[in-house]
Amino acid sequence: METTIAADGMFQTFKEWFWLERFWLPPQVKWSDLEDHDGLVFVKPSHLYITIPCAFGLLIVRHFFEKFIATPLAKAFGIKEEIQKVIPNTILENFFKHSTRHPSQTDIYGLAKKCTLTERQVERWFRRRRNQDRPCRMKKFREACWRFAFYLMITIAGIAFLYDKPWVYDLWQVWNGYPRQALLPSQYWYYVLEMSFYWSLLFSLGSDVKRKDFLAHVIHHLAAISLMSFSWCANYIRSGTLVMIVHDVADIWLESAKMFSYAGWKQTCNTLFFIFSTIFLISRLIIFPFWILHCTLVVPMLYLEPFFSYIFLNLQLIVLQVLHLYWGYFILKMLKRCIFLKNIQDVRSDDEDEYEEDDDEEEEKADATKNKGRDCLKNGLGADRHLVPNGQHGR
């Protein structure tokens, strides 16, 4: 009992310290100033509790979307769901599981002797076995289709919520009356939908396609949720909605480029990637630093004295801008490759998987052609099925 009382006392002390007004609000402003009155509603941290059940609701919506919309669409594009199974082989399976998934040429030679197979057959078995553990294109397409649908919906909603707001066109209005700015229903739902979506992405990381940048995705989703939560609690709603719309508008084109990449429409994928790159470079390397950051970093100093949440908000946004520069560098590298090589292998980090699939198919065709040639020669026919003169089979 005493331990429970002590723990409750420590929690209460921490809670009071965490919500100290000097951490969240400008000087001379108190939490009591942001209490609802005269029909005006102000932001409260408790408003964000609903984002967790909404995230699970989005996961349910996603399940039915992928089943009844994304899957038929993928099939219409000719994407198959089945994965080619390997012929069971105990020796090769044990080596695959307990030694390495990528045997050396020496390993392949030894395994071929043990299994009485050719080296080409052993290489093909390991390639197919690796592909068997990888997610198929159908799964990748469904995930990209879901994200595309959400980003399209949230971008349209964001434009509808913001097009008539004065602070979109006059940045001075972002800070007019801060922090005593009432919460609008459109702002509430914009935040709830956006945060719920990122929570749902975080919850589904375990079942989604595993990529090389898995850890980066975890950090990105947590950072996005943290930034939105902080901007909500400190009532930076107006600037927060501007940050969200600037980010969402480019992601539509990226997800659509992935969809066409998985469908094999390379030219369409390249075109969409060019559009994405253009919008990304404009929105995140021009509009974000010279419009959003100027609005949050410079403009408020004409109204207010520097305070903790102002500094913390802008530190997060500056880190975000550094990430924009980092991603922009890789996007420019991909554009360079596309311009000079006329090809974008993929807009994500899973192109290695597809290369092994295609290589496998090419080898099968080559082997089939060789076998056909051998069969013809055995019967005295050339590869074109014409008779070969006697004594010229070896030429």
Side-chain angles (χ1 to χ4, degrees):
M1 179 66 72
E2 293 180 357
T3 304
T4 304
I5 295 174
D8 289 342
M10 290 177 61
F11 177 75
Q12 189 63 31
T13 302
F14 172 78
K15 182 179 177 182
E16 292 174 357
W17 172 83
F18 183 79
W19 292 108
L20 283 175
E21 289 151 345
R22 69 170 183 268
F23 291 153
W24 299 91
L25 302 174
Q28 312 304 322
V29 178
K30 300 185 180 299
W31 289 116
S32 58
D33 297 330
L34 301 181
E35 292 180 356
D36 300 346
H37 61 84
D38 301 329
L40 299 176
V41 178
F42 293 87
V43 296
K44 297 175 183 61
S46 59
H47 288 158
L48 299 181
Y49 295 161
I50 196 175
T51 59
I52 302 298
C54 282
F56 287 105
L58 281 178
L59 289 176
I60 296 173
V61 172
R62 172 181 173 175
H63 171 77
F64 288 104
F65 176 88
E66 291 185 354
K67 183 176 181 179
F68 295 109
I69 297 178
T71 298
L73 185 60
K75 291 178 179 178
F77 277 114
I79 300 174
K80 297 179 181 180
E81 192 164 8
E82 62 273 5
I83 299 175
Q84 190 174 16
K85 299 289 185 180
V86 298
I87 298 173
N89 187 305
T90 306
I91 296 174
L92 298 182
E93 185 69 27
N94 287 335
F95 190 90
F96 180 88
K97 288 183 176 179
H98 303 297
S99 295
T100 178
R101 297 163 58 95
H102 298 272
S104 65
Q105 198 60 42
T106 305
D107 294 329
I108 291 173
Y109 177 78
L111 291 168
K113 292 293 184 183
K114 287 182 182 179
C115 302
T116 63
L117 299 172
T118 66
E119 293 181 37
R120 176 72 62 84
Q121 288 173 324
V122 173
E123 289 176 351
R124 185 180 298 129
W125 189 94
F126 274 92
R127 187 179 301 115
R128 287 179 175 174
R129 183 63 182 83
R130 289 192 296 269
N131 286 342
Q132 187 174 300
D133 287 347
R134 295 187 176 107
C136 61
R137 288 190 182 186
M138 175 69 78
K139 183 173 176 60
K140 298 175 187 176
F141 182 92
R142 285 196 299 248
E143 291 182 9
C145 189
W146 162 248
R147 291 191 294 266
F148 165 78
F150 180 84
Y151 285 130
L152 178 62
M153 180 274 296
I154 201 67
T155 300
I156 294 173
I159 294 172
F161 292 158
L162 294 173
Y163 83 97
D164 61 343
K165 303 300 185 291
W167 58 84
V168 176
Y169 311 99
D170 182 6
L171 295 181
W172 298 94
Q173 294 295 323
V174 170
W175 297 97
N176 186 23
Y178 177 83
R180 300 176 182 85
Q181 296 171 338
L183 176 66
L184 301 176
S186 59
Q187 294 171 322
Y188 171 80
W189 286 111
Y190 195 13
Y191 260 81
V192 167
L193 287 172
E194 194 86 38
M195 286 190 65
S196 300
F197 178 68
Y198 279 103
W199 276 120
S200 72
L201 291 181
L202 197 62
F203 296 154
S204 64
L205 278 174
S207 59
D208 286 346
V209 173
K210 296 293 188 299
R211 303 184 187 275
K212 298 173 185 176
D213 53 357
F214 174 82
L215 182 60
H217 267 70
V218 175
I219 296 172
H220 173 268
H221 297 339
L222 288 173
I225 292 169
S226 172
L227 182 57
M228 286 187 282
S229 300
F230 178 80
S231 66
W232 179 273
C233 295
N235 205 16
Y236 295 119
I237 304 298
R238 294 183 180 181
S239 57
T241 52
L242 297 179
V243 172
M244 290 190 292
I245 192 67
V246 165
H247 283 75
D248 290 337
V249 71
D251 291 332
I252 306 169
W253 304 97
L254 177 61
E255 299 302 334
S256 61
K258 293 181 201 175
M259 290 167 58
F260 283 100
S261 175
Y262 300 143
W265 294 32
K266 297 301 180 183
Q267 189 60 45
T268 306
C269 169
N270 292 351
T271 302
L272 291 169
F273 186 78
F274 272 118
I275 297 173
F276 160 74
S277 303
T278 302
I279 295 176
F280 180 95
L281 296 174
I282 292 173
S283 63
R284 304 197 191 184
L285 300 186
I286 297 176
I287 293 177
F288 186 84
F290 297 107
W291 185 44
I292 304 292
L293 268 179
H294 178 267
C295 172
T296 61
L297 193 61
V298 177
V299 174
M301 289 299 92
L302 302 176
Y303 290 95
L304 307 162
E305 293 293 326
F307 54 101
F308 179 82
S309 66
Y310 157 83
I311 297 171
F312 188 69
L313 172 71
N314 283 288
L315 282 176
Q316 293 182 85
L317 294 178
I318 289 171
V319 170
L320 188 58
Q321 180 57 31
V322 172
L323 289 176
H324 292 165
L325 294 171
Y326 173 77
W327 292 326
Y329 167 74
F330 285 104
I331 289 172
L332 290 173
K333 284 185 66 176
M334 291 186 71
L335 284 175
K336 179 181 177 181
R337 184 174 65 185
C338 181
I339 292 170
F340 292 102
L341 301 181
K342 305 297 182 184
N343 180 45
I344 294 179
Q345 290 181 353
D346 198 348
V347 293
R348 287 297 304 272
S349 56
D350 47 20
D351 49 337
E352 182 183 349
D353 301 358
E354 295 177 6
Y355 171 78
E356 291 203 339
E357 254 179 25
D358 296 338
D359 188 55
D360 198 24
E361 292 175 2
E362 289 175 5
E363 284 196 5
E364 285 183 342
K365 290 177 183 177
D367 284 353
T369 303
K370 287 182 181 178
N371 292 334
K372 181 180 177 182
R374 290 195 195 100
D375 293 340
C376 291
L377 288 172
K378 286 178 183 178
N379 293 293
L381 299 176
D384 56 358
R385 304 195 68 80
H386 290 297
L387 288 172
V388 178
N390 289 335
Q392 296 185 15
H393 290 80
R395 294 186 182 180

